[in-house]
Amino acid sequence: MAYFTAVLTPDGDGWRSVDVDLEAGSPEELGDVLRGAVGDDAAVLAVLEREDEWFALVRTDGDDTRVFVSDAVAAADSSFAELFAELPPATAVLPGGAEGTGEATGGGAAVAAPAVGEVVWAGDPELLSDLGCPPGVLTGLAASGGDPAAATVEVGELLGFADVLESLR
């Protein structure tokens, strides 16, 4: 199965791609790489896809690095597993809760093992809300278990980077 990665940053008129070698590591290490690629505190977004399995978004603004992964269980078996390993289990959500986004486990409670075929997303579903992508969109795309490329294009359409993303494929 193939991976697709893209790194994007807003450039005033839209978004542009940034040439960065993404290596698996902690969110903080990846945040340092992303910040170094643009040389300032601009927002930088890494889009990661594993064909037919999952997508992830990693955003950094200044010192803040946030991650969302659509299927933490599947991603744990990937070469990017270290990136997702530090996501606290309290942020994982099982599909089927209120408004189709699932019910969060809270207060550091352990995440129940998912049923066969059930998707467990993890991370910060609000990482793009200030740019125009509500958290319900990310959790809904994760819960649907659909094509990761289609999911990231849908996010790109909301935020205005779909054309850039498609040109990189």
Side-chain angles (χ1 to χ4, degrees):
M1 294 200 181
Y3 288 99
F4 169 77
T5 61
V7 177
L8 309 166
T9 188
D11 73 353
D13 291 335
W15 292 76
R16 66 179 171 86
S17 66
V18 180
D19 189 24
V20 175
D21 184 22
L22 294 181
E23 294 191 23
S26 72
E28 292 76 24
E29 291 169 350
L30 183 54
D32 290 342
V33 169
L34 295 175
R35 279 186 289 280
V38 295
D40 59 19
D41 290 341
V44 183
L45 180 66
V47 178
L48 308 144
E49 299 168 6
R50 173 82 186 251
E51 186 177 287
D52 298 328
E53 289 191 20
W54 55 266
F55 70 90
L57 303 166
V58 181
R59 178 181 177 182
T60 185
D61 296 284
D63 291 332
D64 188 29
T65 301
R66 297 181 289 165
V67 178
F68 177 86
V69 61
S70 66
D71 187 339
V73 174
D77 291 331
S78 75
S79 62
F80 289 99
E82 186 179 344
L83 178 63
F84 310 122
E86 293 184 17
L87 295 178
T91 63
V93 174
L94 301 176
E99 299 177 10
T101 61
E103 296 175 347
T105 60
V111 176
V116 173
E118 193 167 35
V119 174
V120 179
W121 61 258
D124 183 358
E126 295 185 20
L127 81 160
L128 301 175
S129 61
D130 64 319
L131 299 174
C133 181
V137 170
L138 293 181
T139 58
L141 290 168
S144 75
D147 176 30
T152 57
V153 167
E154 185 172 332
V155 171
E157 288 172 352
L158 282 172
L159 302 183
F161 63 74
D163 290 341
V164 175
L165 193 64
E166 286 299 312
S167 72
L168 296 171
R169 291 190 192 279

